[in-house]
Amino acid sequence: MIHREPRRSIFSVIAFCVIVAFAPLSWPAVAQDARGTAPAATSDVSRPVAAKHGMVVAQERLAAKIGAEVLAQGGNAVDAAVATGFALAVTYPRAGNIGGGGFMLIHLADSRRDIAIDYRETAPDAIRRDIFLGADGAPDPAKSRDSALGIGVPGTVAGLTLALDKYGSGKFTLARLLKPAITLARDGLEIADDNADTLSQSHDRFVRWPSSMKIFAHPDGTPLREGDRLVQTDLAATLTAIADRGPQGFYEGSVASNLVRAIDAAGGIITLEDLKSYRPLIREPVRGRYRGYDVVSTPLSSSGGTVLLESLNILEGFAMRDLHQGSLDSLHVLVEAMKRAYADRARYLGDPAFVNAPIQTLLAKDYATKQRASIDMMHATPAAAVPVRPQREGDNTTHFSVADAFGNVVSNTYTLNFSYGVGLVADGTGVLLNNELDDFTAAPGAANAFGLVGFEANLPGPGKRPLSSMTPTIVLKDGKPVLVTGSPGGSRIVSTVLQVIVNVLDYDMNIAAAVQAPRLHHQWLPDEVRAEHGFPDGIIAGLQARGHTVVVPMGQTSANSIAITPDGLFGAPDPRTRGSHAVGY
């Protein structure tokens, strides 16, 4: 049963914390604070975790601890994010990666700057716009989802190293930040939590690839299970090459040659030149205002920030607080706002290097007023009737949030697309490869694996970045961060971030309650509301009575978030992922 908590301001968060000591993972002793102690607050996901100086919230506990240790040693949020990101490539292989890509959103306190780093995968130069069509001219999902043709040029290594070079504190070398990840890959880690849940479920993605089976299966071909040890010696060697040579250790030399050889043998088309020419991009974030707060989010080539801000603009005209959290009216308007914003995503958004999307129009308050006016409070708007007015000017991810003692924050989301990507480990590298090119639209009007429909703006093209839903987001008040959030979940990412923000800003929920509340999702097509378990039967029946088609369950998301308050930092790992963790000091 959903209930509305007593009203509190975002700053008066009631939180509990468990103070424990943790053993450093290949690090010197953690720096002591002024009292001569080195505390670490770590999570029990049922309640927010409190810390005074720094916080990392991630989907896997070892990586979160590694990032928090960087903060405790005087690193800034970017240092910690880079360490966490590389560690997750070892400890959370289904989505943490160096064989995929993503987006990092940074707030720098001293300069009050917000920066977006787009390290999304790119299409290889040999791609054709019809590459994912079958002989009959219809989309062939197996080509983009289950074959090496779906592998995009990975961006993670370039993106994380760029972040460190330009925005790190200067106290940590790349080699030092990589040391814990290298040690864990070489010496191994015990399979537990989400890894134990997903390795056996994804076994069919590995059986086609002997190089993957030798890492993620026993010699008899059975999958690794809880309590087994995952050892990744080739990945340790690849990370060592990156530590020694920076991104050139990945995009050139023996690692690059092994990547290309493995992709070619599997039927892919990435070349050495594709790898060598990859560049991450520093972009200006998209930003908007909601209830007196500044919301800063991810720009194209992710659709996430645009869809999020358009949805918030529509909702701002409703008295959400008076509708009450979890009520039938509040959920109805959430769904209707999502439906309209996702329709615009499909029609207009794509890689900005190839598409002139009408972002200013889509994010204008007067456009939201027109969209809002088309919402009938008692009846669902059919997808085919969603109005589109602008003129043209197209689950298995992981998110972590970081806040440091200096007021800097990082929101980072990166992915392989499917759980464990295409399932192929490039032999000799230990690198799991993505199937991210499925995020292109195979043909106008076709849907990807998450059901997202696209048109001309998101067709494949050489060097093009497929449209993403990743939505790392920072909310600020008077120029200072108050909320850092994001989520995995494919097309469900934006709706998840939207509901966390609404729960905090409209309903004054503490960050743990905001994250844990049941969520729903609508993405225009298919014309259905996806709902998590946990909504009262009467609410589901009420949505159906208004004409919504409701489907349960929604699909997994994990909104690992941090609230920044005058009383300290409060982290909320999402209990939807077993093993999600908040670590602070």
Side-chain angles (χ1 to χ4, degrees), residues 89 98 215-216 232-236 238 425-432:
I98 58 172
I215 296 171
F216 296 114
Q232 303 171 83
T233 52
D234 287 343
L235 181 56
T238 295
V425 174
D427 202 19
T429 71
V431 176
L432 260 167

Side-chain angles (χ1 to χ4, degrees), residues 7 11 26 103 125 136 147 264 275 337 350 359 361 376 425 438 447 455 464 489 504 511 517 525 542:
R7 289 186 179 178
F11 302 115
S26 304
F103 299 85
D125 192 57
D136 60 356
S147 84
D264 180 69
L275 287 170
I359 300 299
T361 300
D376 181 336
V425 174
D438 182 64
F455 294 94
K464 196 173 182 180
V504 172
I511 190 61
L525 291 176

